[in-house]
């Protein structure tokens, strides 16, 4: 009998040990991200072949790959995949690519999406499918306004911030009469709308607006109309090659020499570099990122330049930041479910080389500092990429539109 009891006790102890081991194994497994298809797939939808190709394009894909590498390259022991495609600045093409990625290719999150009309179209698709979109290249503030989405985030900048920072500062400097040269599509319209509102709010006046077709080669008629308005400041509400061409031709017409100031509401460092400091000197601009801001930005920029050949734009730096924060959120949340990951991204502060103490709001806006810059003179510049001088740092809560003013349905529903 005693020996039978001993065998029974041994059997019970063995069963209890097995249950404990299974419980521990379950706990360990739960700590690992539970990926819906066993992997994380990141897609960069961008302009690879047109006016925004240098500012976004292949550089945005490189930035995403750098972020994945810096994260460690794997989740749940499997490689994190990065794919990219060219949307050609066309909403129908961008929408078709997004559908294919989400429906058939297992993409978890799409990033970048320059050209606001494409970003708005893709955001609607992502919303319908319950998938994530993080916009870095697209600028319209409607992405976190009327078109906001529970799975859509706007990371780097928007038309409100560009206009608010530039407009307020310019009017305070006495540049209180404006003429707009605007790109005739969603982004340009939003930039002009937000810029004009800020000028008026700051006590200035808009004397003239003229709209130029996308990818305009000859800005002469538009520039002459802006020049003829007598405005103290001519603001370019466009981007990429359009902005470069407009500034170059304004220089040829002697507009700055004639006493008017130029302001680019959206221009990137590669654009200024291609213009040359002689042509661009004195230009006012707002940016979310400058490579020479501190040691961390300089270190990232040198790595990026070694891979891409150009210093990173704010769009490309924003993609790096967004991918890194997304992966940290997936890991912390223990899942790649879009709504759960977005909630975790809101909980976690954004602290990296791009933003310090950044935060993701309920409307999807990532709030961070913005910077008013002026292009240096040739005498001030000490090297090829030493192009900007800092005029002002504007805290994110001041730079971006107040949450209560965006008309985002998500915010209204929460209230």
């Amino acid at each position: 009998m005693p020996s039978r009891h001993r065998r029974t006790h041994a059997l019970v102890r063995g069963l209890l040990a097995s249950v404990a081991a299974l419980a521990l194994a379950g706990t360990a497994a739960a700590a690992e991200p539970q990926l819906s298809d066993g992997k994380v797939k990141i897609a960069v939808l961008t302009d690879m072949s047109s006016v925004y190709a240098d500012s976004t394009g292949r550089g945005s894909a490189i930035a995403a790959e750098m972020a994945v590498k810096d994260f460690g390259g794997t989740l749940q022991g499997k490689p994190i995949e990065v794919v990219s495609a060219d949307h050609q600045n066309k909403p129908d093409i961008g929408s078709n690519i997004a559908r294919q990625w989400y429906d058939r290719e297992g993409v978890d999150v799409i990033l970048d999406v320059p050209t606001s009309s494409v970003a708005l179209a893709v955001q609607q698709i992502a919303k319908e499918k319950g998938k994530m979109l993080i916009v870095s290249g697209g600028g319209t503030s409607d992405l976190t306004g009327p078109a906001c989405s529970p799975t859509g985030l706007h990371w780097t900048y928007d038309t409100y911030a560009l206009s608010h920072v530039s407009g307020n500062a310019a009017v305070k400097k006495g540049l209180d009469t404006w003429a707009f040269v605007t790109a005739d599509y969603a982004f340009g319209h939003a930039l002009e709308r937000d810029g004009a509102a800020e000028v008026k709010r700051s006590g200035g006046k808009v004397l003239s607006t003229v709209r130029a077709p996308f990818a305009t080669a000859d800005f002469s008629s538009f520039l002459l109309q802006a020049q003829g308005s007598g405005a103290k400041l001519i603001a370019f509400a466009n981007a990429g090659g359009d902005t470069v061409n407009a500034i170059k031709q304004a220089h040829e017409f002697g507009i700055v020499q004639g006493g008017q100031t130029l302001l680019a509401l959206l221009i990137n460092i590669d654009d200024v570099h291609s213009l040359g400091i002689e042509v661009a000197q004195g230009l006012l601009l707002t940016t979310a990122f400058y490579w020479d801001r501190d040691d961390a930005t300089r270190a990232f920029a040198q790595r990026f330049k070694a891979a891409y050949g150009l210093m990173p734009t704010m769009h490309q730096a924003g993609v790096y930041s967004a991918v890194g924060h997304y992966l940290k959120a997936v890991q912390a949340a223990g899942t790649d479910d879009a709504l759960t990951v977005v909630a975790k991204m809101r909980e976690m502060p954004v602290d990296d080389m791009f933003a310090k103490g950044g935060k993701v709001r309920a409307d999807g806006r990532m709030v961070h500092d913005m910077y008013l810059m002026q292009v240096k003179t040739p005498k001030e510049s000490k090297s090829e990429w030493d192009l900007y001088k800092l005029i002002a740092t504007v805290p994110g809560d001041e730079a971006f539109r107040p949450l209560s003013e965006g008309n985002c349905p998500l915010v209204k529903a929460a209230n």
Side-chain angles (χ1 to χ4, degrees), residues 34-43 75 80-81 83 101-102 105-111 126 130-134 151 326-327 330 335-338 341:
Q34 300 303 299
L35 309 179
S36 57
D37 56 1
K39 63 181 180 181
V40 170
K41 192 170 185 177
I42 294 167
L75 262 173
I80 301 164
E81 187 178 354
V83 298
W101 274 345
Y102 287 143
E105 298 187 21
V107 164
D108 297 292
V109 58
I110 294 175
L111 293 108
K131 294 285 189 175
M132 279 197 66
L133 171 70
I134 308 177
T151 58
Y326 169 79
L327 291 173
V330 172
T335 178
D336 59 1
D337 172 73
V341 173

Side-chain angles (χ1 to χ4, degrees), residues 370-412:
M370 295 288 289
Y371 307 96
L372 180 67
M373 300 281 188
Q374 187 169 38
V375 178
K376 291 182 174 182
T377 65
K379 287 185 179 179
E380 292 172 323
S381 178
K382 304 303 181 187
S383 62
E384 179 185 6
W385 290 95
D386 179 24
L387 298 175
Y388 297 168
K389 57 185 175 184
L390 179 65
I391 303 299
T393 299
V394 182
D397 288 337
E398 295 178 22
F400 291 97
R401 179 178 57 205
L403 184 63
S404 60
E405 296 179 12
N407 294 317
C408 169
L410 299 175
V411 175
K412 290 181 179 179

Side-chain angles (χ1 to χ4, degrees), residues 102 107-111 113 119-135 143-144 147-155 322 326 336-346 360-365 408 410:
Y102 287 143
V107 164
D108 297 292
V109 58
I110 294 175
L111 293 108
V113 203
L120 287 166
V122 174
Q123 176 139 301
Q124 182 60 32
I125 292 167
K127 181 180 179 180
E128 291 169 0
K129 297 183 179 299
K131 294 285 189 175
M132 279 197 66
L133 171 70
I134 308 177
V135 176
L143 287 163
T144 55
C148 70
S149 163
T151 58
L153 305 182
H154 204 179
W155 205 259
Y326 169 79
D336 59 1
D337 172 73
L339 289 173
T340 306
V341 173
V342 168
K344 184 59 67 174
M345 291 178 78
R346 288 195 182 107
V360 179
R361 295 191 317 203
D363 59 354
R365 174 71 261 165
C408 169
L410 299 175

Side-chain angles (χ1 to χ4, degrees), residues 43-55:
V44 178
L45 184 60
T46 189
D47 175 4
M48 295 282 191
S49 56
S50 189
V51 293
Y52 310 133
D54 287 344
S55 300

Side-chain angles (χ1 to χ4, degrees), residues 154-235:
H154 204 179
W155 205 259
T156 302
Y157 75 106
D158 61 30
T159 52
Y160 181 96
L162 296 179
S163 302
H164 180 74
V165 173
S166 297
N168 185 269
V171 171
K172 284 180 179 178
K173 289 182 65 173
L175 300 169
D176 56 1
T177 54
W178 284 44
F180 282 93
V181 177
T182 301
D184 195 11
Y185 66 100
F187 165 76
H189 298 172
L191 197 53
E192 178 194 302
R193 176 197 67 203
D194 292 343
E198 183 56 38
V199 170
K200 293 170 186 175
R201 184 163 46 240
S202 301
K205 294 181 180 179
V206 177
L207 302 185
S208 170
T209 60
V210 59
R211 291 181 174 179
F214 176 72
T216 293
D218 183 2
F219 278 87
S220 57
S221 64
F222 309 112
L223 289 169
L224 289 172
Q225 182 173 327
Q227 184 181 34
S229 72
K232 295 176 184 177
L233 183 146
I234 297 175

Side-chain angles (χ1 to χ4, degrees), residues 50-73:
S50 189
V51 293
Y52 310 133
D54 287 344
S55 300
T56 59
R58 191 171 65 86
S60 290
I62 289 171
E65 291 164 358
M66 287 175 62
V68 168
K69 183 178 180 180
D70 290 349
F71 180 78

